Amino acid sequence: MEGNMLIEKYHLLYTGVECLTNLQISTVGHAVLGLSDLELRCSYNPETGDDIYSIDISAELNGQYRTIVAFYPENRRKDGTLRMDGNYLNGRVTMNNPKQSSNVAVLIFNQTECIDETMYKCKVTYDSNIGTQFRESNATAIYVEARPTFPDSVPSYIPSAGIEEGMSVVFTCTGNVGKPMGTFRWIVYRRNANGISIQESLYDNVTTTGFETPGTCTFNGTSQLTLQVESLDNNAVVRCQVVYQDVPHGNLYKQTNMINVYYSVRNVTVTKSHLHYTFGPGQTTLTCTSDGNPAVRNEDYKWYKMSQQYTVIGTGSQLITNATVGESDVYICVAQNSYNGKTFSSNSSIQIKIGKILNS
């Protein structure tokens, strides 16, 4: 008799402890800083006869698990409530009690904040045939993501003035690159004097370093691009663009104004008003053109003749000659520009031969 009673006692103890099964806590949706669609769900399978008292969700806060939300089954006729340790959720969560048909308590985060990134557990308290019991789930984590924003400012660069061809210029870009940490990529647009793009160069393998800013759930990134500038980089625009989760965000960028790059005078060319180098006597106009930054000033064009190569015969981009029959000489145009305390010059020449015009 006593043996049967002992067996029955252990049977009751066994069924009482094991009657609540499949207790788990899980997340649905994404925890994104700000407006969110995240759900934290506590699900369980009670056995017939179990009387569920409450379903609690606890969060790890300051190194300890603390109950933040209490849910109740339908027969309790009580709304889900925030516990004292969960008051930080006030105004930004919705609590849905479990239905008998589903046995799932749902905590909906309408607005996600940094503090929500932590570990969570679910505990069910219930009355069974051996008294009040509770079971606790394994822990799950919420990882809060954050969207990137525009770079903090247009890219800065050093040196910021007096840039000349051959120099190495370091461009720096900083700003919120989101979480998980995104990157910056660089695009250089070479432009002509009218601001029209003539060449685009992408630099997407430049390193971005970052650190998670306390209290913001996001990474602040920094990237530097070093360019050895050429004359073609005069008027270029350098753009810093955010790449988040491997997707370039076309509208999240800032770029410099057109960059001034000094380069020495070159491509000096002399042309004349006649098509052939031999023509009749009279006035002939010679025109000298060049390329350089700064552009050659009109007074910095000087003209010489080979026969008088050390004597300046004129200044300005045009020279009007008065040649006589039989004259043959080489006219030389020397152009110069100056920057950063240095002066550069380049020249070109043209031969002029005056022949006799025959009467028809």
Side-chain angles (χ1 to χ4, degrees), residues 71-128:
F71 298 93
Y72 303 95
E74 283 184 304
N75 63 337
R76 296 287 177 188
R77 299 182 182 277
K78 293 176 65 176
D79 294 330
T81 58
L82 294 177
R83 295 293 180 89
M84 182 176 296
D85 288 323
N87 282 337
Y88 67 91
L89 297 170
N90 189 37
R92 59 186 186 89
V93 295
T94 301
M95 294 159 285
N96 291 340
N97 278 330
K99 305 292 183 181
Q100 286 184 343
S101 58
S102 64
N103 297 315
V104 178
V106 182
L107 178 64
I108 303 172
F109 289 81
N110 305 309
Q111 187 94 12
T112 303
E113 296 182 359
C114 294
I115 194 174
D116 300 326
E117 182 172 294
T118 188
M119 303 295 293
Y120 295 85
K121 289 182 179 180
C122 177
K123 183 178 75 172
V124 176
T125 303
Y126 62 98
D127 288 330
S128 69

Side-chain angles (χ1 to χ4, degrees), residues 226-239:
T226 300
L227 289 179
Q228 187 170 18
V229 296
E230 306 172 17
S231 60
L232 289 174
D233 293 312
N234 185 42
N235 297 320
V237 169
V238 178
R239 175 179 296 181

Side-chain angles (χ1 to χ4, degrees), residues 274 277-284 305 307-308 320-331 351-357:
H274 293 74
Y277 84 95
T278 300
F279 45 90
Q283 289 188 339
T284 302
K305 286 199 299 186
S307 60
Q308 300 171 288
I320 299 176
T321 67
N322 289 287
T324 60
V325 174
E327 181 180 346
S328 178
D329 215 329
V330 175
Y331 286 77
Q351 184 177 12
I352 294 180
K353 185 176 182 180
I354 305 301
K356 185 176 180 180
I357 301 177

Side-chain angles (χ1 to χ4, degrees), residues 46-352:
E47 194 169 278
T48 303
D50 288 340
D51 185 11
I52 306 298
Y53 177 72
S54 67
I55 305 94
D56 300 326
I57 291 180
S58 59
E60 187 177 19
L61 303 172
N62 299 320
Q64 292 185 330
Y65 279 93
R66 300 182 181 276
T67 301
I68 56 172
V69 182
F71 298 93
Y72 303 95
E74 283 184 304
N75 63 337
R76 296 287 177 188
R77 299 182 182 277
K78 293 176 65 176
D79 294 330
T81 58
L82 294 177
R83 295 293 180 89
M84 182 176 296
D85 288 323
N87 282 337
Y88 67 91
L89 297 170
N90 189 37
R92 59 186 186 89
V93 295
T94 301
M95 294 159 285
N96 291 340
N97 278 330
K99 305 292 183 181
Q100 286 184 343
S101 58
S102 64
N103 297 315
V104 178
V106 182
L107 178 64
I108 303 172
F109 289 81
N110 305 309
Q111 187 94 12
T112 303
E113 296 182 359
C114 294
I115 194 174
D116 300 326
E117 182 172 294
T118 188
M119 303 295 293
Y120 295 85
K121 289 182 179 180
C122 177
K123 183 178 75 172
V124 176
T125 303
Y126 62 98
D127 288 330
S128 69
N129 49 18
I130 61 170
T132 300
Q133 305 288 315
F134 73 86
R135 293 197 67 186
E136 193 173 60
S137 70
N138 294 326
T140 192
I142 287 180
Y143 179 83
V144 178
E145 298 182 1
R147 298 179 181 89
T149 58
F150 286 93
D152 292 337
S153 62
V154 299
S156 62
Y157 49 94
I158 298 175
S160 59
I163 299 172
E164 60 183 79
E165 61 180 342
M167 277 187 174
S168 290
V169 181
V170 179
F171 297 84
T172 302
C173 186
T174 62
N176 167 23
V177 291
K179 181 183 175 186
M181 180 179 151
T183 60
F184 291 117
R185 73 172 186 172
W186 296 87
I187 309 172
V188 178
Y189 298 93
R190 284 177 167 171
R191 297 185 174 185
N192 61 22
N194 296 321
I196 299 173
S197 293
I198 56 176
Q199 183 181 357
E200 176 181 328
S201 299
L202 176 65
Y203 300 84
D204 55 0
N205 293 320
V206 181
T207 300
T208 299
T209 59
F211 61 91
E212 189 167 0
T213 309
T216 66
C217 295
T218 190
F219 283 87
N220 192 72
T222 300
S223 180
Q224 289 189 322
L225 173 69
T226 300
L227 289 179
Q228 187 170 18
V229 296
E230 306 172 17
S231 60
L232 289 174
D233 293 312
N234 185 42
N235 297 320
V237 169
V238 178
R239 175 179 296 181
C240 171
Q241 183 182 48
V242 175
V243 177
Y244 181 65
Q245 296 185 338
D246 297 327
V247 178
H249 285 240
N251 62 327
L252 293 184
Y253 70 85
K254 288 192 176 178
Q255 63 187 31
T256 65
N257 293 322
M258 290 194 297
I259 297 170
N260 185 64
V261 178
Y262 293 130
Y263 59 95
S264 61
V265 61
R266 62 200 60 182
N267 301 329
V268 178
T269 304
V270 178
T271 58
K272 59 178 180 283
S273 56
H274 293 74
L275 296 178
H276 306 288
Y277 84 95
T278 300
F279 45 90
Q283 289 188 339
T284 302
T285 301
L286 303 181
T287 302
C288 190
T289 59
S290 63
D291 180 27
N293 185 37
V296 177
R297 299 177 302 175
N298 193 59
E299 60 268 29
D300 289 330
Y301 287 103
K302 292 183 171 52
W303 294 89
Y304 301 84
K305 286 199 299 186
M306 187 67 73
S307 60
Q308 300 171 288
Q309 57 181 308
Y310 298 111
T311 302
V312 177
I313 63 171
T315 60
S317 60
Q318 289 190 326
L319 177 69
I320 299 176
T321 67
N322 289 287
T324 60
V325 174
E327 181 180 346
S328 178
D329 215 329
V330 175
Y331 286 77
I332 303 167
C333 172
V334 178
Q336 71 176 34
N337 68 349
S338 301
Y339 55 85
N340 294 341
K342 295 173 287 188
T343 298
F344 304 87
S345 63
S346 182
N347 64 77
S348 182
S349 62
I350 189 170
Q351 184 177 12
I352 294 180

